[in-house]
Amino acid sequence: MATTGADIPPMHAQSTMNKLPLVRRLEAVGFRAWPASSVQYDGSWQVRLTAGHPSKRLNCVVPLDPSDHRDLEIRLEKAQRKFEAYGRPMVVRETPLASPMLVDILQRQGWGRFDENIVMTADLVDLELPDALDHLPSHDVGRYVDASLLVDGADPILKPALAEVVSGIKPPSGLFVIENDEAGPVATTLCVQDNDLAGIMSVSVAAQHRRKGLAIEILTSALRWARMRSARTAWLQVGAFNEPALALYARFGFHEAYRYCYWRLPGEA
């Protein structure tokens, strides 16, 4: 489902002071769980760039302080030059940590808001996990990357870049793959445990094998693994209009913590 700026409410309107510490912590663990190859700072802005992978989370400007609103237009131009040097269209990630003044400038300059996402959390301590078949995580990055690309139907040319990203994850990570004797890999999940937090970075099921309980099975395995390693809270990011995924995560007790979206100039996809 496509969205336009008019469809997405301003992110800063959702922000409250008591929410900001949680947003800051989840954004920080999210950066560690999905590391960009180049990270530079301009004030409180994090400029994330990754030449080999097109993921927006790896290629965006992330403002991290709503009170940081100095020289906004100049800093946007500087960031734009960095993205041009990488051959990437510049995108700005708007969370409740973005300055409202920055959002106003983006609107005035004709940037468009797109791709609304929800960051969700769940309490792992008292969560009753489904009685599903358990799967142990693999430590074979190559096997996981091959399976992930196949399950997602992604371009195999992304293999080196995805392998570099997954290999660059510093916190302990569980690489989960469900394989079918005939079809090969049919489901994958990446779980990153960062102290008491466990990030579910992806849950993917091959299109022809959906509605068979595989998502429940592999997500249960990942959360059980994280809880055994003393994680107390799970978190994830999901598209705001991905109804099947939202229904799945609700079954596991996930609820909304905050939302974010991206901005881009017209004509840059």
Side-chain angles (χ1 to χ4, degrees):
M1 178 176 178
T3 61
T4 66
D7 299 321
I8 303 175
M11 297 295 108
H12 64 263
Q14 306 163 9
S15 176
T16 58
M17 291 303 294
N18 60 358
K19 180 189 292 187
L20 295 186
L22 174 63
V23 177
R24 289 192 177 96
R25 188 167 188 222
L26 291 178
E27 287 292 295
V29 298
F31 298 153
R32 292 192 291 270
W34 202 239
S37 61
S38 171
V39 177
Q40 302 176 40
Y41 281 89
D42 181 354
S44 67
W45 293 8
Q46 189 178 102
V47 182
R48 296 165 58 82
L49 284 160
T50 304
H53 201 287
S55 164
K56 292 188 297 297
R57 280 190 282 178
L58 298 176
N59 296 276
C60 61
V61 176
V62 190
L64 297 172
D65 184 350
S67 66
D68 182 0
H69 45 69
R70 63 172 180 80
D71 303 325
L72 295 175
E73 295 188 12
I74 294 174
R75 292 161 71 189
L76 282 172
E77 291 177 3
K78 287 174 56 180
Q80 182 73 52
R81 290 195 291 272
K82 293 177 181 178
F83 277 78
E84 289 173 352
Y86 267 72
R88 294 243 177 255
M90 178 172 159
V91 295
V92 177
R93 176 176 164 125
E94 180 195 349
T95 75
L97 300 177
S99 165
M101 294 178 65
L102 172 62
V103 174
D104 289 342
I105 286 178
L106 293 175
Q107 290 176 324
R108 290 202 308 269
Q109 291 185 352
W111 293 61
R113 185 188 273 120
F114 72 105
D115 197 13
E116 182 181 13
N117 293 269
I118 305 173
V119 179
M120 310 183 81
T121 60
D123 179 9
L124 282 180
V125 176
D126 298 320
L127 177 64
E128 285 192 29
L129 292 171
D131 185 16
L133 183 64
D134 197 18
H135 297 271
L136 295 177
S138 168
H139 299 289
D140 187 336
V141 172
R143 174 174 174 258
Y144 170 79
V145 168
D146 285 338
S148 179
L149 293 173
L150 184 62
V151 168
D152 289 337
D155 191 335
I157 199 172
L158 292 176
K159 179 178 178 177
L162 182 57
E164 182 179 357
V165 173
V166 175
S167 298
I169 299 172
K170 300 301 183 185
S173 56
L175 311 175
F176 293 83
V177 178
I178 296 179
E179 293 182 311
N180 181 297
D181 290 339
E182 298 178 356
V186 293
T188 62
T189 288
L190 168 59
C191 181
V192 179
Q193 185 217 345
D194 197 330
N195 295 311
D196 63 326
L197 295 174
I200 301 296
M201 305 309 296
S202 68
V203 178
S204 298
V205 177
Q208 63 272 33
H209 292 278
R210 291 171 186 167
R211 301 185 182 278
K212 297 179 181 179
L214 292 173
I216 292 174
E217 193 173 304
I218 199 167
L219 181 56
T220 298
S221 295
L223 294 177
R224 185 177 290 129
W225 170 82
R227 185 160 65 183
M228 289 178 61
R229 296 181 56 87
S230 301
R232 300 177 63 84
T233 301
W235 66 273
L236 53 82
Q237 304 175 12
V238 58
F241 301 100
N242 189 341
E243 296 297 338
L246 289 169
L248 169 68
Y249 299 140
R251 291 184 59 176
F252 284 82
F254 282 91
H255 60 274
E256 180 174 334
Y258 63 96
R259 298 190 178 208
Y260 70 88
C261 68
Y262 294 94
W263 290 81
R264 66 186 172 200
L265 287 167
E268 293 193 342

